[in-house]
Amino acid sequence: MKYYLSSYKFGDNLDDLKRLIPKNNKIGHINNAQDCLGYDVERTRKSQQDQMEYLNSIGFESESLDLRTYFHNTEALKDKISGLGALWVSGGNAFVLRMAMRLSGFDIIFEELKTRDDFLYAGYSAGICVLSKSLKAIDQVDDPHNFPYPEIIRPIYEGLDVFDFALLPHYDSNHYESEKIGKEIQRCIDNKWLFKALRDGEVIVIE
């Protein structure tokens, strides 16, 4: 799998993102990190639409991929993703996103996707935080006790285990979570937890 991991939105490495567009340019936009209780539904819908339009403008063929549609139906989600060449996973609450991934079986499917060299995983903020082995380093930024899905009443701290370090976006940036991220970084240092901080605009590209 190839990765385009941005701190915020599309970042400053758009040439890389365009270059990474796979032959199958169909990309599923996962917005479930914004399913949080208390989020503005209309604002969330508009944000997703704007991002999908932008993805289309640079060469992708985007569509919404709502993991809620596939809760307890992993095979259907697997079939859906098999027709895609990429995923864009947006920001929001990483714990809520992780819950949606668990309920839909995305985490199981992801293990197979990781072995493909023709598939792109791209996204930002919560969408990259879930790739860490553990989400413990961000639970002072994202509320782990926001439970929008009645099937889950306990936080899921296990990430998708691509990295053995925490990814901490919005560091030293003009972002409302930047101050909290700074405190999380200090907590990582105090506890000797591995981490990588990204400023908004910065992107990690893995091929």
Side-chain angles (χ1 to χ4, degrees):
M1 184 184 285
K2 299 176 182 178
Y3 298 90
Y4 182 90
L5 310 176
S6 173
S7 175
Y8 185 63
K9 296 291 178 70
F10 295 97
D12 294 339
N13 295 53
L14 291 177
D15 287 342
D16 284 324
L17 181 56
K18 293 175 183 178
R19 181 174 52 79
L20 290 172
I21 296 175
K23 184 176 181 180
N24 177 2
N25 70 336
K26 293 182 179 179
I27 186 169
H29 187 290
I30 296 176
N31 209 39
N32 296 97
Q34 299 194 27
D35 289 346
C36 309
L37 297 174
Y39 270 37
D40 185 320
V41 175
E42 180 56 29
R43 183 177 179 181
T44 295
R45 184 201 65 77
K46 180 64 165 56
S47 174
Q48 181 178 37
Q49 187 61 40
D50 289 347
Q51 290 175 40
M52 288 171 60
E53 289 177 1
Y54 188 81
L55 289 168
N56 291 341
S57 75
I58 63 174
F60 287 101
E61 183 180 335
S62 68
E63 60 181 272
S64 173
L65 180 58
D66 189 343
L67 296 181
R68 291 174 295 184
T69 304
Y70 301 93
F71 282 4
H72 314 297
N73 196 353
T74 303
E75 285 303 312
L77 179 58
K78 185 176 180 179
D79 288 345
K80 181 63 180 177
I81 291 178
S82 69
L84 302 174
L87 295 171
W88 180 270
V89 189
S90 70
N93 184 311
F95 291 94
V96 170
L97 174 60
R98 187 65 187 87
M99 293 174 206
M101 289 178 166
R102 171 70 58 82
L103 289 170
S104 63
F106 178 89
D107 43 9
I108 298 171
I109 298 166
F110 185 77
E111 290 303 308
E112 299 179 15
L113 289 176
K114 285 195 298 186
T115 67
R116 292 178 52 182
D117 58 10
D118 62 342
F119 199 90
L120 173 66
Y121 182 105
Y124 70 95
S125 194
I128 71 171
C129 289
V130 293
L131 297 175
S132 298
K133 184 174 184 178
S134 171
L135 305 186
K136 65 184 179 182
I138 59 165
D139 67 1
Q140 305 301 304
V141 177
D142 290 351
D143 180 6
H145 297 96
N146 190 307
F147 299 119
Y149 317 124
E151 300 96 323
I152 293 183
I153 58 173
R154 293 182 179 85
I156 299 174
Y157 275 83
E158 299 83 8
L160 297 179
D161 200 15
V162 175
F163 306 112
D164 63 356
F165 53 84
L167 287 171
L168 300 176
H170 315 311
Y171 167 64
D172 191 25
S173 303
N174 185 25
H175 189 281
Y176 73 96
E177 290 182 335
S178 184
E179 182 177 352
K180 288 183 178 180
I181 287 292
K183 292 178 180 178
E184 290 285 39
I185 288 173
Q186 187 59 53
R187 190 161 71 108
C188 287
I189 294 170
D190 293 342
N191 288 282
K192 298 182 179 179
W193 297 340
L194 297 175
F195 71 93
K196 183 172 180 58
L198 286 84
R199 292 181 172 88
D200 287 353
E202 292 184 328
V203 176
I204 298 173
V205 176
I206 302 175
E207 300 183 57

